[in-house]
Amino acid sequence: NAGVTQTPKFQVLKTGQSMTLQCAQDMNHEYMSWYRQDPGMGLRLIHYSVGAGITDQGEVPNGYNVSRSTTEDFPLRLLSAAPSQTSVYFCASSLRRGLAGYNEQFFGPGTRLTVL
Amino acid sequence: LAKTTQPISMDSYEGQEVNITCSHNNIATNDYITWYQQFPSQGPRFIIQGYKTKVTNEVASLFIPADRKSSTLSLPRVSLSDTAVYYCLVGDPGAAGNKLTFGGGTRVLVKP
């Protein structure tokens, strides 16, 4: 298993440009999430999905769109990049469990985005 | 989601035991306590999760008192490679989306 993969690893954009960050997992996980991490800070949830065709907003959704057409893929779209979106973006996935307890999230290696 | 409070940083030496205490006064009945580890330029990695009393795995132990308002992550005999940021999270892992709320974490520096 490759686990959670993200592309690209690095990206530089100009203000106003749009782009899509790719995320894929091969563990048949139902839950997928996008987080951003600013320097020296913890991670903040952008959007998440509980299954194909279902997405919802997290803590900081403005300026980002997501879709989940398949179980494996969960792309994050920046509509019009702004310098405030300069950050490291992490995608994560986990199993859906009917009962609470032991629900590990698996994180990808991250995408470092700089917006000039 | 319950908020957590943990020390900003801790220093230790190789071979010592490191204990990081996390406060979570507003923990709910269905909430579990989960710890993640993050190395520079990497995504967080799950360490351990527990509900009450004590949980131990090959990496760490997690101590949770009866009132569950705090918890302590214990890393036995740390090495230089344990230098990382450690996050304490509280939430219901059975809730839709398994969403996580990260605080600032504790930066642990292990010295030779």
Side-chain angles (χ1 to χ4, degrees), chain A residues 31 33 35 37 40-43 45 48 50 90 94 97 99-105 107-109 112, chain B residues 30 32 36 38 41-46 49 87 92-100 102-104 107:
Chain A
Y31 292 163
S33 306
Y35 296 85
Q37 185 173 34
M41 307 288 286
L43 284 75
L45 181 66
Y48 67 99
V50 299
F90 291 102
S94 65
R97 294 189 181 275
L99 298 174
Y102 189 68
N103 203 353
E104 176 181 356
Q105 281 215 18
F107 285 81
R112 291 184 175 275
Chain B
N30 291 338
Y32 277 62
Y36 281 79
Q38 186 179 27
S41 302
Q42 294 187 24
R45 185 179 71 168
F46 175 94
Q49 185 179 82
Y87 294 97
D92 180 359
N98 189 25
K99 300 182 293 295
L100 300 178
F102 286 81
R107 293 183 179 276

Side-chain angles (χ1 to χ4, degrees), chain A residues 52-106:
Chain A
I54 307 171
T55 64
D56 206 345
Q57 296 181 348
E59 183 185 359
V60 288
N62 292 340
Y64 308 94
N65 271 357
V66 291
S67 61
R68 185 101 179 268
S69 56
T70 67
T71 299
E72 295 77 20
D73 300 299
F74 191 41
L76 177 73
R77 281 183 288 278
L78 277 71
L79 308 173
S80 177
S84 61
Q85 293 179 304
T86 293
S87 190
V88 180
Y89 291 83
F90 291 102
C91 178
S93 73
S94 65
L95 279 171
R96 175 182 181 178
R97 294 189 181 275
L99 298 174
Y102 189 68
N103 203 353
E104 176 181 356
Q105 281 215 18
F106 294 82

